[in-house]
C-alpha cells in the first residue's frame, strides 16, 4: 500500500495551496515537510529531488513531482476529478487556466510594498469582476447545472472556489453582482471533503503574513523587490 503523498514547500500558501485544496477535495490525507532554512532547500537540490531546481515538490506514487500544473493534473486524474472524457478534460483545463490567471494577480501580493499592495488590490478586484467572474457566471447560468463541467464535481470547481475565497479576502462583497457564483460558492463549500478543509485546524493555510514572506525570501535568497502587475 502506497504511503501518503508528501508535500515539500513553505508553511504557507504559495503555489502549493492549490495542491492542498485538491488533495483535500479528494479526501486524501497528506504529509508536509516545511522548508525553513536554506540548508533544507539545498539538500533537496543536491539530492536531485528538484528537477528544475524549484518547489513545490510532491512525493506521490513513487515519483518526485515538480511543476504545479503537472502535480495537479496527476492528482485530478488519479482521484476522478478530471472529467469523464477528453472533451470534459479540455473544458476543465480551460477553466482551471482562467482561474490560474486570476490567482496569478494574488500570488505575489504578500511580497509587495505597502503602496504596491494597495494598487494591486484594486487590480485584483477589477480583473475578477470585469473579466473572470463574469465568465464563470455565464458558464453556470448557461449550463443550469451544479458544476462547471459535466454532472459531477471536478478540479475546475475546486480551483474556482479557492480563487473566489482568495478574492473575497481582498473585498468581502466581491460576489454581490454574481448570483450564480454566490450559489456555487455555497454549494461547493458544503461538499463534505471541502467543508472539512474549510474548518479550523485543517491543513489549509491562512493569509500569508510577514513571517511567511521572510522565510521564503531567506530560503530562496530573494533579496529583490517584487513589482505589482
Amino acid at each position: 500500500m502506497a504511503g501518503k503523498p508528501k508535500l515539500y514547500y513553505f508553511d504557507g500558501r504559495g503555489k502549493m495551496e492549490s495542491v492542498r485544496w485538491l488533495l483535500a477535495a479528494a479526501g486524501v490525507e497528506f504529509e508536509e515537510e516545511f522548508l525553513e532554512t536554506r540548508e533544507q532547500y539545498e539538500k533537496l537540490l543536491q539530492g536531485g529531488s528538484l528537477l528544475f531546481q524549484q518547489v513545490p515538490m510532491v512525493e506521490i506514487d513513487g515519483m518526485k513531482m515538480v511543476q504545479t500544473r503537472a502535480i495537479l493534473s496527476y492528482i485530478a486524474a488519479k482521484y476522478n476529478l478530471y472529467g469523464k472524457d477528453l472533451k470534459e478534460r479540455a473544458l476543465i483545463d480551460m477553466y482551471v487556466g482562467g482561474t490560474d490567471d486570476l490567482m496569478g494577480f494574488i500570488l505575489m501580493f504578500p511580497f509587495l510594498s505597502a503602496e504596491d499592495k494597495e494598487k494591486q488590490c484594486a487590480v485584483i478586484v477589477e480583473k475578477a469582476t470585469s473579466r473572470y467572474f463574469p465568465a464563470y457566471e455565464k458558464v453556470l447560468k448557461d449550463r443550469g447545472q451544479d458544476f462547471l463541467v459535466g454532472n459531477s464535481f471536478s478540479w475546475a470547481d475546486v480551483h474556482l472556489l479557492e480563487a473566489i475565497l482568495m478574492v473575497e479576502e481582498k473585498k468581502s462583497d466581491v460576489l454581490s453582482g454574481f448570483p450564480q457564483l454566490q450559489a456555487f460558492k455555497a454549494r461547493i463549500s458544503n461538499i463534505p471533503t471541502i467543508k472539512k478543509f474549510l474548518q479550523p485546524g485543517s491543513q489549509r493555510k491562512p493569509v500569508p503574513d510577514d513571517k511567511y514572506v521572510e522565510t521564503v525570501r531567506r530560503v530562496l535568497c530573494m533579496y529583490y523587490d517584487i513589482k505589482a502587475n
Side-chain angles (χ1 to χ4, degrees):
M1 182 176 176
K4 297 177 183 177
K6 188 170 183 179
L7 283 50
Y8 293 80
Y9 200 66
F10 308 99
D11 188 7
R13 290 183 182 176
K15 290 188 174 183
M16 187 65 89
E17 189 69 354
S18 292
V19 177
R20 298 184 186 105
W21 266 87
L22 196 56
L23 286 169
V28 177
E29 294 183 358
F30 57 90
E31 299 174 348
E32 300 191 73
E33 181 170 317
F34 298 126
L35 302 180
E36 298 175 343
T37 66
R38 180 70 186 179
E39 289 72 26
Q40 283 177 286
Y41 183 64
E42 289 178 347
K43 185 178 179 180
L44 290 175
L45 288 173
Q46 292 163 7
S49 296
L50 307 181
L51 182 61
F52 300 112
Q53 302 178 27
Q54 61 192 26
V55 288
M57 190 268 281
V58 174
E59 285 187 334
I60 184 170
D61 294 342
M63 298 182 290
K64 293 183 177 179
M65 294 195 70
V66 295
Q67 291 296 328
T68 312
R69 188 60 181 264
I71 295 167
L72 289 166
S73 296
Y74 182 81
I75 293 168
K78 179 179 174 68
Y79 296 107
N80 300 314
L81 294 169
Y82 211 174
K84 71 178 188 298
D85 55 30
L86 191 59
K87 182 177 179 180
E88 286 193 0
R89 183 167 294 193
L91 290 172
I92 289 168
D93 283 339
M94 183 171 70
Y95 297 144
V96 167
T99 311
D100 268 342
D101 290 345
L102 175 56
M103 287 181 173
F105 292 102
I106 305 172
L107 187 63
M108 299 310 295
F109 186 86
F111 299 89
L112 301 175
S113 67
E115 181 181 357
D116 280 345
K117 281 182 178 178
E118 185 175 350
K119 295 177 183 176
Q120 188 69 355
C121 189
V123 170
I124 291 165
V125 172
E126 192 278 327
K127 296 293 185 184
T129 56
S130 69
R131 180 184 298 181
Y132 298 101
F133 287 174
Y136 295 115
E137 181 82 0
K138 184 177 188 303
V139 170
L140 290 166
K141 184 176 181 180
D142 289 350
R143 296 194 72 245
Q145 302 291 325
D146 287 348
F147 308 107
L148 285 171
V149 178
N151 57 7
S152 61
F153 180 51
S154 77
W155 174 22
D157 302 307
V158 180
H159 217 52
L160 179 54
L161 178 61
E162 182 188 0
I164 287 171
L165 297 182
M166 289 170 72
V167 178
E168 284 187 330
E169 289 169 351
K170 308 303 178 199
K171 190 175 189 295
S172 61
D173 65 346
V174 72
L175 290 185
S176 60
F178 302 98
Q180 296 290 333
L181 285 176
Q182 290 176 40
F184 172 87
K185 174 192 167 186
R187 198 163 54 240
I188 303 303
S189 294
N190 275 298
I191 290 173
T193 53
I194 296 292
K195 188 173 184 177
K196 181 179 178 181
F197 189 61
L198 293 174
Q199 297 301 309
S202 79
Q203 287 170 287
R204 184 186 179 208
K205 304 306 176 191
V207 176
D209 58 14
D210 291 343
K211 181 181 178 182
Y212 167 77
V213 171
E214 179 186 345
T215 301
V216 174
R217 286 187 180 277
R218 182 177 65 250
V219 172
L220 299 183
C221 296
M222 288 173 54
Y223 302 121
Y224 53 88
D225 291 330
I226 303 295
K227 297 299 182 183
N229 288 312

